[in-house]
Amino acid sequence: MKYFFRQIEDIPLDHSPVSAEVYFRGENATGLIEKQFNADRVAALLFISGTPGMAYLIEASQSKSISLAEFSSFADGVSHTRAINLPDVAGRLMLLALESKVNDKFTITTEEAWDKKISRWKQEQRSGLVEVKSKNLHGFIFFWQGELQKLDLIFSTPQGFVSGFPKLNALDDSAWDVTTYVHSASAQAYQCTVLRQGAMYWCHKILVRYQEMVGQKLLKMMDRELNRQMQPWHWNINLNENDMLDTHFFPYLMDEAHAYRALFMAMGAQMNFVIGNNLTQRLLSETFEQIRPDERAALQSQRLIPAAFSE
Amino acid sequence: MQNLNKPNFKFTPLQIVQISVTVFVILLGLNLWTFYAEPLSKVLSPYWNDNLIDILVLIPAVGAAVAGTLLTRQFEKGETPYHIWQAFTIGLWFWVAGEIGGMVNDALYWDTIYPDFSLVDMFWLLGYFFLGLSLYYQLRLVYGAKSRSRRRIYLGLVAIALLVSAGLTHLAIKAGLGEGYAWIILFVTVLYPVFDLTEGATAIWISFLFGRGQWSRPWWGLILFALADSVNTFYWLGGYGFIPVAAQTVLNFISVIAYPASYMVAGLALLSNYFILRYGENSGLLKVAIKSEINKP
């Protein structure tokens, strides 16, 4: 039985993990190789941009990290091997789920019940991953401070991956099986998520303030220039008006911090040219103070601080 | 790409800025020559020599006001920078009107007595008002509209400028200066250097805030205005009587250079900023992109 994103068609290979590896490496693709033992036991290997990332063994809904060698050695008892391509967002949310513990499981049967649940999470300012599974749907949604994160939302449907929020009745589903996760602060996937939230929020605040000071044209000019500079890195990070849209799958904190550092440095240099060093420093510091303490701590731990980005 | 077309004229924006710099340097040279050698005084009359100097100042003044107008039009009306540069440009146009008014006054009153208060004074004062307003908008933007204390500081400065002017006027009357003139006339006479000092100091403050940023450069023009006017004020106050002739010559030279240079600096900065906004990377004025390139993988 397929475990993750079962609505997505397998890559037409010969069901051999080796062929799948060759495919992912050749395509520099992000994807998943699943070795199924039975309905309750499955091994999963994540490929990230053509490189084998991490492997997990999932038994009775609990995941355990295993070595790549261990994953490769699984052959006996494997009933089916499948490989699917994954969008970066699906990859990073799946990794977060695999590195987290199940908190709660329940079933949703009506739209009203779902809306009520979301309102409650909003009230509680809940942060965490939510997994939704049904006959025609499987996906993840990440909530941060009670808010659904539009960039961290992905579902597999018979039509493929969608990044919009589906309606319960739209896909002829009568019920959703919902799993909520609790995250360990030491888990790398969670640290990456917090860092991303912090960087995106800080970036948004910087860009809004910069626009106030110099107008929309210069802001767009800076967006365009930074997007151009980031292009060779093939990061799925895009500056759009006063938002930084990060849909890249960084499995390691160091890589993610490196990308943000490069981005903030280039941004600092651009702003320096227009509004000068003092104001750039001031703008970065003022906006940094507006970030939530946990996000700020995540940024500080990677030395992503105002002083690092102005001359 | 909206408003970021490639420049379709014969020269690139960078070349236009470079040509403008060359023209301004030539104008400055001509200005100095006309002031010191007085070529037209010998050929025609001092009136025509004075008129030539006025024209040599008027050219960069109009240039700066035109550049300011072009820059202002690059912003949406709701944007804060629009208000800053609109006020700055209006101020410059009033000063252009002041320059022209001064020439008209020269034509009307060269051989008689100039009026105590004329339309020219109105133009200068309105110019100060709008330039001050642009400084205020800029400071408010930098410190954030929510920062009431900073706004209070600025408004306080304006109030102090007015109070100091009133106080100095009172002292001048007590000292017997300006006998026979109305209080308001003396007040306005004192107001000029006080405004110069206030706006010059604020422009320096903003320049320090902006550092070497491209957007600080139009304010450098105001600093030069303050410098040129402070020399004139020193002269009017009789300061020349206390310094040696060599120092007087240096001050005269500074004043003759700084006054037209202030329009030139402001104009060139406004023109550069206009080109950057209008043509972006194609202007050739954005060198930072090359320097700050994110290291390639």
Side-chain angles (χ1 to χ4, degrees):
Chain A
M1 190 191 161
K2 297 171 182 179
Y3 197 87
F4 286 106
F5 307 117
R6 66 185 76 140
Q7 296 76 19
I8 301 302
E9 274 186 39
D10 299 5
I11 299 167
L13 300 167
D14 54 4
H15 301 294
S16 142
V18 179
S19 307
E21 278 197 40
V22 171
Y23 166 82
F24 285 130
R25 284 182 198 275
E27 296 288 312
N28 274 337
T30 296
L32 165 75
I33 301 176
E34 237 180 47
K35 287 180 178 178
Q36 289 133 19
F37 301 92
N38 56 50
D40 249 2
R41 191 164 183 258
V42 62
L45 169 65
L46 269 171
F47 259 80
I48 303 147
S49 304
T51 312
M54 341 18 214
Y56 294 85
L57 183 67
I58 303 133
E59 281 179 295
S61 301
Q62 294 296 325
S63 60
K64 189 181 90 181
S65 176
I66 57 171
S67 69
L68 299 182
E70 210 174 334
F71 178 85
S72 301
S73 69
F74 285 140
D76 291 343
V78 174
S79 60
H80 180 70
T81 300
R82 75 188 274 247
I84 56 167
N85 279 309
L86 288 181
D88 272 18
V89 171
R92 73 187 186 193
L93 293 182
M94 201 185 123
L95 180 63
L96 183 60
L98 289 166
E99 285 201 1
S100 307
K101 295 251 176 297
V102 172
N103 177 46
D104 191 17
K105 282 185 172 206
F106 52 89
T107 303
I108 293 283
T109 51
T110 61
E111 281 290 340
E112 293 73 39
W114 179 241
D115 290 344
K116 230 168 140 179
K117 202 81 194 168
I118 288 185
S119 305
R120 209 174 125 200
W121 287 337
K122 195 173 183 146
Q123 246 177 4
E124 291 168 355
Q125 297 227 305
R126 184 185 188 280
S127 293
L129 190 68
V130 174
E131 184 180 4
V132 177
K133 245 181 189 177
S134 72
K135 191 174 73 176
N136 293 315
L137 187 87
H138 181 210
F140 296 97
I141 316 155
F142 185 70
F143 286 82
W144 186 245
Q145 308 304 322
E147 294 294 333
L148 180 151
Q149 300 302 298
K150 283 180 187 160
L151 289 183
D152 280 311
L153 181 157
I154 196 140
F155 287 95
S156 64
T157 69
Q159 285 77 43
F161 280 105
V162 292
S163 51
F165 203 91
K167 291 270 175 202
L168 185 62
N169 303 324
L171 294 164
D172 282 342
D173 277 335
S174 52
W176 283 351
D177 293 324
V178 179
T179 307
T180 62
Y181 288 89
V182 62
H183 312 289
S184 153
S186 60
Q188 184 139 218
Y190 183 67
Q191 288 177 351
C192 282
T193 307
V194 178
L195 184 67
R196 183 170 65 247
Q197 295 299 329
M200 286 201 300
Y201 187 66
W202 189 23
C203 200
H204 171 70
K205 288 280 171 191
I206 291 171
L207 296 174
V208 166
R209 186 75 178 110
Y210 184 67
Q211 183 184 356
E212 265 175 22
M213 293 183 100
V214 298
Q216 204 179 23
K217 272 194 181 180
L218 274 175
L219 172 78
K220 282 186 176 170
M221 216 178 285
M222 182 166 84
D223 285 349
R224 212 168 27 246
E225 180 54 30
L226 295 179
N227 286 335
R228 188 190 68 76
Q229 289 187 29
M230 280 191 291
Q231 227 167 18
W233 285 92
H234 304 292
W235 293 321
N236 291 326
I237 299 178
N238 188 265
L239 293 183
N240 183 18
E241 303 219 333
N242 48 35
D243 283 312
M244 188 241 276
L245 308 173
D246 176 6
T247 53
H248 195 83
F249 182 8
F250 290 107
Y252 305 108
L253 199 57
M254 216 174 64
D255 293 343
E256 191 177 37
H258 165 74
Y260 295 148
R261 189 167 299 112
L263 175 65
F264 284 123
M265 278 187 82
M267 196 184 280
Q270 293 280 322
M271 292 194 298
N272 235 342
F273 175 73
V274 178
I275 58 172
N277 175 37
N278 291 345
L279 272 187
T280 302
Q281 181 64 45
R282 188 190 181 86
L283 188 154
L284 291 174
S285 303
E286 271 178 5
T287 48
F288 195 70
E289 290 305 311
Q290 294 168 21
I291 308 171
R292 283 175 39 85
D294 46 353
E295 293 172 355
R296 202 183 315 148
L299 290 164
Q300 278 166 333
S301 71
Q302 297 302 314
R303 278 208 48 80
L304 297 168
I305 52 171
F309 307 120
S310 58
E311 283 167 13
Chain B
M1 210 184 287
Q2 58 168 28
N3 263 339
L4 278 171
N5 331 315
K6 287 213 162 167
N8 54 4
F9 26 72
K10 212 173 171 184
F11 300 103
T12 64
L14 181 62
Q15 285 169 329
I16 292 172
V17 171
Q18 286 165 344
I19 291 166
S20 305
V21 171
T22 312
V23 170
F24 284 164
V25 168
I26 293 167
L27 283 177
L28 269 184
L30 269 174
N31 206 313
L32 279 172
W33 179 65
T34 314
F35 183 81
Y36 285 108
E38 299 188 37
L40 294 189
S41 294
K42 290 158 196 164
V43 182
L44 295 165
S45 74
Y47 168 77
W48 287 107
N49 201 73
D50 197 69
N51 243 342
L52 180 59
I53 292 172
D54 287 347
I55 289 166
L56 291 172
V57 172
L58 184 65
I59 294 168
V62 171
V66 169
T69 308
L70 290 171
L71 175 71
T72 307
R73 285 168 60 181
Q74 289 304 305
F75 294 100
E76 296 290 325
K77 282 186 178 162
E79 293 181 300
T80 315
Y82 174 86
H83 300 292
I84 295 170
W85 301 112
Q86 186 194 43
F88 194 90
T89 304
I90 292 172
L92 282 178
W93 278 117
F94 272 118
W95 278 9
V96 166
E99 299 289 353
I100 295 169
M103 289 167 77
V104 172
N105 269 6
D106 282 347
L108 293 174
Y109 307 111
W110 186 262
D111 295 319
T112 58
I113 299 162
Y114 283 68
D116 293 327
F117 190 84
S118 67
L119 200 59
V120 179
D121 293 289
M122 277 308 293
F123 289 143
W124 289 123
L125 290 175
L126 282 169
Y128 277 117
F129 174 79
F130 280 101
L131 288 166
L133 192 64
S134 71
L135 284 164
Y136 170 65
Y137 283 146
Q138 183 67 78
L139 277 179
R140 201 176 64 161
L141 179 62
V142 168
Y143 289 108
K146 287 172 198 159
S147 175
R148 281 169 178 270
S149 62
R150 293 290 180 183
R151 225 182 303 171
R152 260 187 251 135
I153 288 171
Y154 177 73
L155 291 174
L157 278 174
V158 174
I160 287 169
L162 291 172
L163 279 173
V164 166
S165 299
L168 287 173
T169 308
H170 182 70
L171 284 176
I173 291 168
K174 265 183 113 178
L177 294 171
E179 213 172 323
Y181 290 106
W183 184 88
I184 189 72
I185 303 295
L186 279 175
F187 177 73
V188 170
T189 311
V190 172
L191 204 55
Y192 282 130
V194 173
F195 270 165
D196 273 330
L197 199 69
T198 311
E199 294 195 357
T202 315
I204 290 171
W205 179 5
I206 288 178
S207 292
F208 276 125
L209 276 174
F210 275 91
R212 282 173 295 167
Q214 183 76 22
W215 244 236
S216 79
R217 293 173 194 181
W219 305 113
W220 296 356
L222 284 191
I223 297 168
L224 282 172
F225 273 120
L227 179 69
D229 279 358
S230 61
V231 173
N232 293 338
T233 308
F234 185 65
Y235 170 76
W236 292 332
L237 289 172
Y240 271 35
F242 302 99
I243 57 170
V245 178
Q248 291 176 18
T249 312
V250 171
L251 286 182
N252 282 342
F253 181 80
I254 289 171
S255 175
V256 173
I257 285 278
Y259 187 56
S262 54
Y263 284 123
M264 292 172 187
V265 167
L268 283 169
L270 292 167
L271 186 69
S272 300
N273 290 351
Y274 160 70
F275 280 137
I276 287 172
L277 277 176
R278 178 77 175 84
Y279 299 110
E281 299 82 352
N282 296 328
S283 68
L285 293 158
L286 284 170
K287 290 178 192 155
V288 71
I290 301 153
K291 284 187 210 160
S292 70
E293 196 87 25
I294 293 176
N295 295 329
K296 297 270 188 319

Short mmCIF file of all heavy atoms in Angstrom, two decimals, chain A residues 174-217:
data_model
loop_
_atom_site.label_atom_id
_atom_site.label_comp_id
_atom_site.label_asym_id
_atom_site.label_seq_id
_atom_site.Cartn_x
_atom_site.Cartn_y
_atom_site.Cartn_z
N SER A 174 -15.76 11.80 2.20
CA SER A 174 -16.77 11.94 3.24
C SER A 174 -16.13 12.28 4.58
O SER A 174 -16.80 12.80 5.47
CB SER A 174 -17.57 10.64 3.37
OG SER A 174 -16.67 9.57 3.53
N ALA A 175 -14.85 11.97 4.70
CA ALA A 175 -14.17 12.28 5.97
C ALA A 175 -12.68 12.48 5.76
O ALA A 175 -12.10 11.94 4.83
CB ALA A 175 -14.40 11.12 6.95
N TRP A 176 -12.13 13.29 6.64
CA TRP A 176 -10.68 13.51 6.63
C TRP A 176 -10.09 12.93 7.92
O TRP A 176 -10.60 13.22 9.00
CB TRP A 176 -10.34 15.01 6.59
CG TRP A 176 -10.50 15.67 5.26
CD1 TRP A 176 -10.75 15.08 4.07
CD2 TRP A 176 -10.41 17.07 5.01
NE1 TRP A 176 -10.81 16.02 3.07
CE2 TRP A 176 -10.61 17.26 3.61
CE3 TRP A 176 -10.17 18.20 5.79
CZ2 TRP A 176 -10.58 18.51 3.01
CZ3 TRP A 176 -10.14 19.44 5.19
CH2 TRP A 176 -10.34 19.60 3.81
N ASP A 177 -9.03 12.18 7.75
CA ASP A 177 -8.31 11.73 8.94
C ASP A 177 -7.19 12.74 9.19
O ASP A 177 -6.31 12.92 8.35
CB ASP A 177 -7.71 10.33 8.72
CG ASP A 177 -8.80 9.29 8.59
OD1 ASP A 177 -9.82 9.42 9.28
OD2 ASP A 177 -8.64 8.37 7.75
N VAL A 178 -7.30 13.38 10.33
CA VAL A 178 -6.35 14.47 10.62
C VAL A 178 -5.38 14.05 11.71
O VAL A 178 -5.78 13.45 12.71
CB VAL A 178 -7.12 15.74 11.06
CG1 VAL A 178 -6.15 16.88 11.38
CG2 VAL A 178 -8.10 16.18 9.99
N THR A 179 -4.11 14.34 11.46
CA THR A 179 -3.08 14.06 12.47
C THR A 179 -2.37 15.38 12.77
O THR A 179 -1.96 16.08 11.85
CB THR A 179 -2.04 13.06 11.92
OG1 THR A 179 -2.72 11.91 11.44
CG2 THR A 179 -1.02 12.67 12.98
N THR A 180 -2.23 15.68 14.03
CA THR A 180 -1.45 16.87 14.38
C THR A 180 -0.12 16.39 14.97
O THR A 180 -0.06 15.33 15.60
CB THR A 180 -2.17 17.79 15.38
OG1 THR A 180 -2.37 17.08 16.58
CG2 THR A 180 -3.49 18.28 14.83
N TYR A 181 0.90 17.17 14.76
CA TYR A 181 2.23 16.78 15.22
C TYR A 181 2.74 17.74 16.27
O TYR A 181 2.41 18.92 16.27
CB TYR A 181 3.21 16.77 14.04
CG TYR A 181 2.97 15.62 13.08
CD1 TYR A 181 2.09 15.77 12.01
CD2 TYR A 181 3.64 14.41 13.25
CE1 TYR A 181 1.86 14.73 11.13
CE2 TYR A 181 3.42 13.35 12.36
CZ TYR A 181 2.53 13.52 11.31
OH TYR A 181 2.31 12.49 10.45
N VAL A 182 3.61 17.20 17.09
CA VAL A 182 4.32 18.05 18.05
C VAL A 182 5.80 17.95 17.70
O VAL A 182 6.30 16.89 17.32
CB VAL A 182 4.00 17.62 19.51
CG1 VAL A 182 4.44 16.20 19.82
CG2 VAL A 182 4.61 18.59 20.50
N HIS A 183 6.46 19.11 17.75
CA HIS A 183 7.83 19.15 17.23
C HIS A 183 8.86 19.30 18.34
O HIS A 183 8.64 20.05 19.29
CB HIS A 183 7.97 20.30 16.25
CG HIS A 183 6.87 20.34 15.25
ND1 HIS A 183 6.75 19.42 14.25
CD2 HIS A 183 5.79 21.17 15.13
CE1 HIS A 183 5.66 19.68 13.55
NE2 HIS A 183 5.05 20.74 14.08
N SER A 184 9.95 18.62 18.13
CA SER A 184 11.05 18.76 19.09
C SER A 184 11.89 19.97 18.64
O SER A 184 12.24 20.10 17.47
CB SER A 184 11.89 17.49 19.07
OG SER A 184 13.20 17.78 19.44
N ALA A 185 12.20 20.83 19.62
CA ALA A 185 12.96 22.04 19.28
C ALA A 185 14.33 21.72 18.71
O ALA A 185 14.94 22.53 18.03
CB ALA A 185 13.10 22.91 20.52
N SER A 186 14.81 20.50 18.99
CA SER A 186 16.15 20.14 18.51
C SER A 186 16.12 19.52 17.11
O SER A 186 17.17 19.30 16.52
CB SER A 186 16.82 19.19 19.49
OG SER A 186 16.02 18.03 19.59
N ALA A 187 14.92 19.22 16.62
CA ALA A 187 14.83 18.60 15.28
C ALA A 187 15.22 19.62 14.22
O ALA A 187 14.73 20.75 14.21
CB ALA A 187 13.41 18.09 15.04
N GLN A 188 16.12 19.19 13.33
CA GLN A 188 16.63 20.12 12.31
C GLN A 188 15.52 20.66 11.41
O GLN A 188 15.51 21.84 11.07
CB GLN A 188 17.70 19.42 11.48
CG GLN A 188 18.36 20.30 10.48
CD GLN A 188 19.86 20.09 10.39
OE1 GLN A 188 20.60 21.03 10.23
NE2 GLN A 188 20.30 18.86 10.48
N ALA A 189 14.57 19.77 11.05
CA ALA A 189 13.49 20.22 10.15
C ALA A 189 12.67 21.32 10.82
O ALA A 189 12.23 22.27 10.16
CB ALA A 189 12.60 19.04 9.80
N TYR A 190 12.48 21.19 12.14
CA TYR A 190 11.71 22.22 12.85
C TYR A 190 12.51 23.51 12.96
O TYR A 190 11.98 24.61 12.77
CB TYR A 190 11.30 21.71 14.24
CG TYR A 190 10.45 22.71 14.99
CD1 TYR A 190 9.16 23.01 14.54
CD2 TYR A 190 10.92 23.35 16.13
CE1 TYR A 190 8.38 23.94 15.20
CE2 TYR A 190 10.14 24.28 16.80
CZ TYR A 190 8.87 24.58 16.33
OH TYR A 190 8.09 25.49 16.98
N GLN A 191 13.80 23.36 13.23
CA GLN A 191 14.66 24.56 13.31
C GLN A 191 14.67 25.29 11.97
O GLN A 191 14.65 26.52 11.93
CB GLN A 191 16.09 24.15 13.70
CG GLN A 191 16.21 23.72 15.15
CD GLN A 191 17.61 23.25 15.51
OE1 GLN A 191 18.46 23.09 14.64
NE2 GLN A 191 17.83 23.00 16.78
N CYS A 192 14.72 24.51 10.88
CA CYS A 192 14.68 25.11 9.54
C CYS A 192 13.38 25.88 9.35
O CYS A 192 13.36 26.97 8.77
CB CYS A 192 14.79 24.04 8.46
SG CYS A 192 16.45 23.43 8.21
N THR A 193 12.29 25.30 9.85
CA THR A 193 10.98 25.93 9.69
C THR A 193 10.91 27.25 10.46
O THR A 193 10.45 28.26 9.93
CB THR A 193 9.86 24.99 10.19
OG1 THR A 193 10.03 23.73 9.53
CG2 THR A 193 8.49 25.53 9.91
N VAL A 194 11.39 27.23 11.69
CA VAL A 194 11.34 28.46 12.50
C VAL A 194 12.24 29.53 11.88
O VAL A 194 11.86 30.71 11.79
CB VAL A 194 11.76 28.17 13.97
CG1 VAL A 194 11.75 29.45 14.79
CG2 VAL A 194 10.84 27.14 14.60
N LEU A 195 13.42 29.09 11.42
CA LEU A 195 14.33 30.05 10.78
C LEU A 195 13.68 30.65 9.54
O LEU A 195 13.77 31.86 9.29
CB LEU A 195 15.65 29.35 10.40
CG LEU A 195 16.72 30.27 9.81
CD1 LEU A 195 17.23 31.26 10.85
CD2 LEU A 195 17.89 29.46 9.26
N ARG A 196 13.01 29.81 8.78
CA ARG A 196 12.34 30.30 7.56
C ARG A 196 11.26 31.32 7.91
O ARG A 196 11.15 32.37 7.28
CB ARG A 196 11.72 29.11 6.80
CG ARG A 196 11.08 29.49 5.49
CD ARG A 196 10.70 28.28 4.66
NE ARG A 196 9.66 27.47 5.28
CZ ARG A 196 9.85 26.23 5.73
NH1 ARG A 196 11.02 25.66 5.66
NH2 ARG A 196 8.85 25.55 6.26
N GLN A 197 10.46 31.00 8.94
CA GLN A 197 9.41 31.93 9.35
C GLN A 197 10.01 33.27 9.77
O GLN A 197 9.52 34.33 9.39
CB GLN A 197 8.60 31.35 10.53
CG GLN A 197 7.80 30.10 10.22
CD GLN A 197 6.76 30.31 9.15
OE1 GLN A 197 6.22 31.39 9.00
NE2 GLN A 197 6.48 29.28 8.37
N GLY A 198 11.09 33.19 10.52
CA GLY A 198 11.75 34.41 10.99
C GLY A 198 12.31 35.22 9.84
O GLY A 198 12.13 36.44 9.78
N ALA A 199 13.00 34.52 8.93
CA ALA A 199 13.63 35.22 7.80
C ALA A 199 12.56 35.86 6.90
O ALA A 199 12.72 37.00 6.46
CB ALA A 199 14.49 34.26 7.00
N MET A 200 11.48 35.12 6.67
CA MET A 200 10.42 35.66 5.78
C MET A 200 9.76 36.87 6.43
O MET A 200 9.47 37.86 5.76
CB MET A 200 9.39 34.59 5.45
CG MET A 200 9.91 33.57 4.46
SD MET A 200 8.61 32.66 3.60
CE MET A 200 7.76 31.87 4.91
N TYR A 201 9.54 36.79 7.73
CA TYR A 201 8.87 37.89 8.42
C TYR A 201 9.78 39.12 8.47
O TYR A 201 9.33 40.25 8.22
CB TYR A 201 8.47 37.45 9.83
CG TYR A 201 7.62 38.47 10.55
CD1 TYR A 201 6.34 38.77 10.09
CD2 TYR A 201 8.09 39.14 11.67
CE1 TYR A 201 5.56 39.71 10.72
CE2 TYR A 201 7.32 40.08 12.31
CZ TYR A 201 6.05 40.37 11.84
OH TYR A 201 5.28 41.31 12.47
N TRP A 202 11.04 38.87 8.78
CA TRP A 202 11.99 40.00 8.85
C TRP A 202 12.11 40.67 7.47
O TRP A 202 12.05 41.88 7.34
CB TRP A 202 13.36 39.50 9.34
CG TRP A 202 14.33 40.61 9.64
CD1 TRP A 202 14.02 41.91 9.94
CD2 TRP A 202 15.76 40.55 9.66
NE1 TRP A 202 15.17 42.64 10.16
CE2 TRP A 202 16.25 41.83 9.98
CE3 TRP A 202 16.67 39.51 9.44
CZ2 TRP A 202 17.61 42.12 10.10
CZ3 TRP A 202 18.03 39.79 9.56
CH2 TRP A 202 18.49 41.07 9.87
N CYS A 203 12.24 39.81 6.47
CA CYS A 203 12.38 40.31 5.11
C CYS A 203 11.15 41.16 4.73
O CYS A 203 11.28 42.23 4.14
CB CYS A 203 12.51 39.12 4.16
SG CYS A 203 13.23 39.58 2.61
N HIS A 204 9.97 40.67 5.10
CA HIS A 204 8.74 41.40 4.80
C HIS A 204 8.77 42.79 5.46
O HIS A 204 8.47 43.80 4.83
CB HIS A 204 7.54 40.59 5.28
CG HIS A 204 6.24 41.32 5.22
ND1 HIS A 204 5.62 41.64 4.03
CD2 HIS A 204 5.46 41.84 6.20
CE1 HIS A 204 4.52 42.31 4.28
NE2 HIS A 204 4.39 42.45 5.59
N LYS A 205 9.16 42.80 6.72
CA LYS A 205 9.21 44.08 7.46
C LYS A 205 10.23 45.03 6.82
O LYS A 205 9.98 46.24 6.71
CB LYS A 205 9.58 43.82 8.93
CG LYS A 205 8.47 43.18 9.72
CD LYS A 205 7.47 44.23 10.12
CE LYS A 205 6.23 43.62 10.72
NZ LYS A 205 5.15 44.59 10.88
N ILE A 206 11.37 44.48 6.43
CA ILE A 206 12.42 45.32 5.80
C ILE A 206 11.88 45.91 4.51
O ILE A 206 12.01 47.12 4.26
CB ILE A 206 13.68 44.46 5.50
CG1 ILE A 206 14.38 44.04 6.80
CG2 ILE A 206 14.66 45.23 4.60
CD1 ILE A 206 15.50 43.02 6.60
N LEU A 207 11.27 45.07 3.69
CA LEU A 207 10.82 45.53 2.38
C LEU A 207 9.69 46.55 2.49
O LEU A 207 9.64 47.51 1.72
CB LEU A 207 10.40 44.33 1.51
CG LEU A 207 11.54 43.35 1.16
CD1 LEU A 207 11.00 42.12 0.44
CD2 LEU A 207 12.61 44.01 0.31
N VAL A 208 8.81 46.35 3.47
CA VAL A 208 7.71 47.31 3.68
C VAL A 208 8.29 48.68 4.07
O VAL A 208 7.92 49.71 3.52
CB VAL A 208 6.74 46.80 4.78
CG1 VAL A 208 5.82 47.91 5.26
CG2 VAL A 208 5.91 45.63 4.27
N ARG A 209 9.24 48.65 4.98
CA ARG A 209 9.84 49.92 5.45
C ARG A 209 10.66 50.58 4.34
O ARG A 209 10.63 51.80 4.19
CB ARG A 209 10.73 49.62 6.68
CG ARG A 209 11.30 50.85 7.34
CD ARG A 209 10.26 51.58 8.16
NE ARG A 209 10.85 52.74 8.83
CZ ARG A 209 10.59 54.00 8.51
NH1 ARG A 209 9.73 54.29 7.56
NH2 ARG A 209 11.16 54.98 9.17
N TYR A 210 11.36 49.75 3.59
CA TYR A 210 12.17 50.29 2.48
C TYR A 210 11.25 50.95 1.45
O TYR A 210 11.54 52.02 0.94
CB TYR A 210 12.98 49.15 1.86
CG TYR A 210 13.93 49.60 0.77
CD1 TYR A 210 15.04 50.39 1.07
CD2 TYR A 210 13.75 49.21 -0.56
CE1 TYR A 210 15.92 50.80 0.08
CE2 TYR A 210 14.63 49.61 -1.55
CZ TYR A 210 15.71 50.40 -1.22
OH TYR A 210 16.58 50.80 -2.22
N GLN A 211 10.13 50.30 1.18
CA GLN A 211 9.18 50.87 0.22
C GLN A 211 8.66 52.23 0.72
O GLN A 211 8.53 53.17 -0.05
CB GLN A 211 8.01 49.91 -0.02
CG GLN A 211 7.04 50.44 -1.07
CD GLN A 211 5.83 49.56 -1.26
OE1 GLN A 211 5.71 48.50 -0.66
NE2 GLN A 211 4.93 49.99 -2.10
N GLU A 212 8.37 52.28 2.02
CA GLU A 212 7.91 53.55 2.61
C GLU A 212 8.93 54.66 2.35
O GLU A 212 8.58 55.80 2.07
CB GLU A 212 7.78 53.40 4.12
CG GLU A 212 6.40 53.04 4.60
CD GLU A 212 6.40 52.79 6.10
OE1 GLU A 212 7.31 53.26 6.82
OE2 GLU A 212 5.49 52.10 6.54
N MET A 213 10.20 54.30 2.46
CA MET A 213 11.26 55.32 2.38
C MET A 213 11.59 55.74 0.96
O MET A 213 11.89 56.89 0.72
CB MET A 213 12.52 54.83 3.08
CG MET A 213 12.32 54.68 4.56
SD MET A 213 13.81 54.19 5.37
CE MET A 213 14.35 55.70 6.00
N VAL A 214 11.56 54.78 0.05
CA VAL A 214 12.05 55.12 -1.30
C VAL A 214 11.00 54.94 -2.39
O VAL A 214 11.27 55.30 -3.54
CB VAL A 214 13.30 54.27 -1.65
CG1 VAL A 214 14.44 54.55 -0.69
CG2 VAL A 214 12.97 52.79 -1.70
N GLY A 215 9.85 54.40 -2.05
CA GLY A 215 8.80 54.23 -3.06
C GLY A 215 8.85 52.86 -3.73
O GLY A 215 9.81 52.11 -3.59
N GLN A 216 7.78 52.61 -4.47
CA GLN A 216 7.58 51.27 -5.02
C GLN A 216 8.58 50.93 -6.14
O GLN A 216 9.01 49.79 -6.28
CB GLN A 216 6.16 51.17 -5.55
CG GLN A 216 5.68 49.74 -5.59
CD GLN A 216 4.27 49.64 -6.08
OE1 GLN A 216 3.77 50.52 -6.76
NE2 GLN A 216 3.60 48.56 -5.74
N LYS A 217 8.94 51.95 -6.91
CA LYS A 217 9.82 51.69 -8.06
C LYS A 217 11.18 51.16 -7.63
O LYS A 217 11.70 50.21 -8.20
CB LYS A 217 10.01 52.95 -8.89
CG LYS A 217 8.94 53.12 -9.93
CD LYS A 217 9.34 54.16 -10.93
CE LYS A 217 8.25 54.31 -11.96
NZ LYS A 217 8.57 55.31 -12.96
#
